[in-house]
Amino acid sequence: MEEDSRRVETVRMGSNPGVRASSSWWASRGSNAFWSSAREEDDEEVLRWEAIEKLPTYDRMRKGILTAVGAGMQEVDIQGLSMQERKCLIQRLIRIPEEDNERFLLKLRERMERVGIQNPTIEVRFEHLTIHTEVYVGKQGVPTFTNFFSNKVMDALTALHIISSGKRPISILHDISGIVRPNRMSLLLGAPGSGKTSLLLTLAGKLDSTLKESGRVTYNGHDMDEFVPQSTSAYIGQHDVHIGEMTVRETLTFAARCQGVGTRYDMLTELSRREKQAKIRPDPDIDVYMKAISQEGQENFVTDYILKILGLDICADIMVGDSMIRGISGGQKKRVTIGEMLVGPANTLFMDEISTGLDSSTTYQIVNSLRQSVHILGGTALISLLQPAPETYELFDDIILLSEGQIVYQGPRENVIEFFEATGFRCPDRKGVADFLQEVTSRKDQYQYWCRRDEPYRYVSVNDFVEAFKVFHVGNALGLELQVPFDRTKNHPAALTTSKFGISRMELLKACFSREWLLMKRNSFIYIIKVVQLMILGTIAMTVFLRTKMHRHSVEDGVIFLGAMFLGLVTHLFNGFVEVAMSIAKLPIFYKQRDHLFYPSWAYALPTWLLKIPISFLECAVWTGMTYYVIGFDPSIERFFRHYLLLVLISQMASGLFRLLAAVGRDMVVAETFGSFAQIVLLILGGFLIARNNIKKSWIWGYWSSPLIYAQNAIAVNEFLGNSWQVVDKTENNDTLGVQILKARGIFVDPNWYWIGVGALLGYIMIFNLLFVLFLDWLGPLRKGQTIVSEEELREKHVNRTGENVELLPLGTDCQNSPSDGSGEITRADTKKRGMVLPFTPLTITFDNIKYSVDIPQEMKDKGITEDRLLLLKGVSGAFRPGALTALMGVSGAGKTTLLDVLAGRKTSGYIEGDIYISGYPKKQETFARIAGYCEQSDIHSPHVTVYESSSYSQHGSGCP
């Protein structure tokens, strides 16, 4: 068959001699090498395999043999597998992740190797990489009122080359070079501020454009402009940004759907063709799994696998949660952040501080799973950890140690202790090596590791370590390797991604549509509240403008009708203001996923707009149905529907306008300020508060640019040219009463103005939504402001890097605070102690049989759980004694935060049972809050105050002297 013999060029390895040798080795062993020696087949199963092998390639990739519970082996359609069959397959493949994952990955590799197919690998190199920026120093950078304007003036004068900028240059990464190798786990260590995040972002192609970068980064010898690094690699950041209304499974499934399957399908097609030629039949479960994860639309398979590996299967159907929605724990959110990128096809991972919020056991399990994947499937991983436990540290193959923007050591983990001993520093026996590495380059901690007792200690600066590493045998070998360019002929054709998005644009649009529809259902209470609000306002309008009180005798009567119509327009204008809060709440998630190339901006914006159109029709139907005939507008059914259409258009225009303001403002305060200002402008220039005839010529442009005037003209023409207003007043040039009202208010009397208004509103709707897409694409998240450093901080960086002028920077009370001779040698220690003791009454906290439960989430009820409450704390008892430091420990999700919240009185929902005593007295929250301090897990601070101002405010607010 022609299709069966077709080769997939992107994965063929026939041109590689090593691969041909591997293939011939497997062929020499025959089919007994894998299949016949493993198990005996029955005739029925053989017939099923032969039937599948006779199918065309397209059909063969969608068929498999699955062991069904109670039904034995049966042929299945991959696209039609049920959730139960999927879960049973994953359970058979991986029962216990810690034990079975490595065996499972080995089966995947063995299947490919026996026909000569290897996974593509990527080597990442960075040469002479330098990243720097300019910062304000001292008080000039504090965002005060005077500084804001003075700095703007200085920036303008600097741009004109009149004066020099008040900023100082600061180096984040300084001329570093290195290699991140495939098939090896690389650990990135360094103190906070050493440049770890900047290095990871640069290697992943996601560095902020405001930072100045020089040097070269290559993947398999290819520059970053020759492929799409954001799709080739996966960057996992420090912050957990997710949609709180989605469950864990939905979050990972959406991420998997957007990232696609990469080259899995092409590779599996070639694999299946070679197996057919060699008459080798794979393990049925492995075959079904690989076919499933290689096809679009089967994202649940890889999602279930990642859920199992990360230990998220126990909370897969629970909402992620946010500040307003109870969800999973902080550690589980961190695992969701990791899983969001692992479900994609990227085989190069850059992971930044993934242990934040995770206990050491969970961190070890995740890193171990990554290690197995990297070693077995040929991945590339550079992982940044702040304080890894010793057992986690031992999982890594290579170490990259950063300090003050320079690489102090890069090479095998086994040689790092040897290097520092050669420079005069030794790691104590009971000291974690990772902690030692991060402290040995610090001036305040370095002294304690000095091991040359026959020589006086002198501070060894970062520059000294860098120079020492160059002559160390590991550093010398690395330098020689960097001098030899990567052989681009060894690059696998499927290694680097050249397409910007993982799936077609239509599939991305479908994915965003399905997610937006899901979120609308989850947030249905918002739309219900909006309808109820309209019903309340409609009731008020019906009573204020009651038909029995609405006459048609004079122009003044018509103005009252005009006011009733204006009320309807303004009500729907204000009703769209909710889009500001809803849009801004989702912007951080959008920016993260946009930068990861999950989808383009238009694919996100279109569902947000189009799915809100039926909502507008419903809301306007409620308002029009309640008010139109009760107020007494023209009874013609045609004019009724025209009135209704105008309200729908004004509702859509308002939604588009406020979404646009949210995309431009990007902050709740800024966007709401813009939104309030826009509403005032629209109302003033809308043609009702001030008639067109009374607007000054200098402001007439504002009148014509306001979308509200087109709605006002159209709705007035629709009403006052109706039969109800065809009363002729002979004293007014035989004009009907309706025409007189229109002329009195400066409204055009041409009936075509209705369609002009409709066309103008449609134009505004298109313009606002188009600008919404463009600003989503152009703008990023609001920056935290210009980085500010002090003179002391700059001098300390200089000292740590060069070792000069140590005496300029007093640092605490340890031996390194002693005066220096200017060369870095410390001559004496300052042992003076300072401080004060505040009197206080010691208190004991005891708690007995504490139980905390919440109502069962609806998602769990849908799974068949019949209980009404979910018990989170199950009879916890204990005591905290004064003078004793107590550590509360437990794995992620064990209930540590929940217990602290209950004891501190921070739980405002749920059901609390048990007794809490303070020094033997029952706890009263009103008095307990004055003697207790609770440091929560989340860092929530005002972004507009300094550290000193925040601390001072907290001190005065707590009543401290």
Side-chain angles (χ1 to χ4, degrees), residues 429-444:
D429 294 336
R430 299 182 63 85
K431 180 76 173 181
V433 179
D435 294 337
F436 162 76
L437 294 178
Q438 295 182 96
E439 294 174 0
V440 72
T441 59
S442 171
R443 186 165 57 86
K444 65 180 181 179

Side-chain angles (χ1 to χ4, degrees), residues 724-897:
S724 300
W725 299 92
Q726 296 303 314
V727 180
V728 179
D729 189 346
K730 296 183 180 181
T731 62
E732 296 291 341
N733 299 324
N734 292 327
D735 287 338
T736 62
L737 182 58
V739 172
Q740 295 176 39
I741 297 168
L742 294 175
K743 289 182 177 180
R745 297 299 302 170
I747 299 173
F748 300 96
V749 296
D750 187 353
N752 290 325
W753 259 94
Y754 175 82
W755 298 110
I756 294 174
V758 169
L761 289 176
L762 287 173
Y764 275 109
I765 292 171
M766 299 299 295
I767 290 173
F768 288 153
N769 284 284
L770 176 61
L771 291 176
F772 176 58
V773 174
L774 294 177
F775 278 106
L776 285 178
D777 201 41
W778 292 341
L779 301 180
L782 282 176
R783 298 185 179 91
K784 297 179 180 179
Q786 175 65 46
T787 304
I788 306 168
V789 298
S790 63
E791 287 283 356
E792 290 78 8
E793 187 175 354
L794 282 179
R795 295 161 70 187
E796 182 178 2
K797 285 181 173 292
H798 179 73
V799 167
N800 290 341
R801 179 174 295 171
T802 64
E804 300 174 355
N805 299 325
V806 177
E807 75 281 355
L808 295 177
L809 298 171
L811 296 172
T813 59
D814 206 347
C815 61
Q816 58 270 20
N817 298 316
S818 304
S820 168
D821 60 1
S823 61
E825 181 177 353
I826 296 177
T827 56
R828 64 179 178 86
D830 185 3
T831 59
K832 183 177 181 180
K833 296 182 179 180
R834 298 179 180 180
M836 60 182 298
V837 177
L838 295 176
F840 69 96
T841 303
L843 299 174
T844 300
I845 301 178
T846 59
F847 48 97
D848 181 44
N849 198 28
I850 297 295
K851 296 181 180 179
Y852 177 72
S853 57
V854 296
D855 295 328
I856 289 287
Q858 186 61 42
E859 293 79 12
M860 298 183 68
K861 290 183 179 180
D862 296 339
K863 299 296 180 181
I865 298 178
T866 57
E867 290 81 1
D868 294 329
R869 294 182 181 179
L870 177 64
L871 194 62
L872 301 181
L873 294 179
K874 305 175 182 179
V876 181
S877 301
F880 299 144
R881 305 189 310 275
L885 185 62
T886 304
L888 181 60
M889 303 179 67
V891 298
S892 177
K896 303 184 295 297
T897 303

Side-chain angles (χ1 to χ4, degrees), residues 329 331 357-359 872-873 887-903 934 937:
S329 68
L358 297 179
D359 58 273
L872 301 181
L873 294 179
L888 181 60
M889 303 179 67
V891 298
S892 177
K896 303 184 295 297
T897 303
T898 303
L899 176 60
L900 291 177
D901 285 341
V902 170
L903 295 179
Y934 183 28
Q937 186 176 9

Side-chain angles (χ1 to χ4, degrees), residues 628 636-646 718 754:
Y628 190 87
S636 171
I637 190 65
E638 179 184 358
R639 298 189 184 276
F640 170 86
F641 281 110
R642 286 184 175 187
H643 185 101
Y644 171 61
L645 175 61
L646 281 171
N718 180 64
Y754 175 82

Side-chain angles (χ1 to χ4, degrees), residues 676-731:
S676 301
F677 178 74
Q679 285 181 330
I680 294 174
V681 172
L682 290 178
L683 291 176
I684 294 176
L685 301 177
F688 178 78
L689 298 180
I690 304 177
R692 176 173 59 91
N693 301 332
N694 299 327
I695 297 178
K696 294 183 178 181
K697 292 183 178 180
S698 58
W699 279 98
I700 198 65
W701 62 270
Y703 172 84
W704 288 110
S705 62
S706 171
L708 198 59
I709 71 107
Y710 298 97
Q712 181 71 30
N713 276 270
I715 203 170
V717 166
N718 180 64
E719 172 63 24
F720 292 117
L721 295 184
N723 293 330
S724 300
W725 299 92
Q726 296 303 314
V727 180
V728 179
D729 189 346
K730 296 183 180 181
T731 62

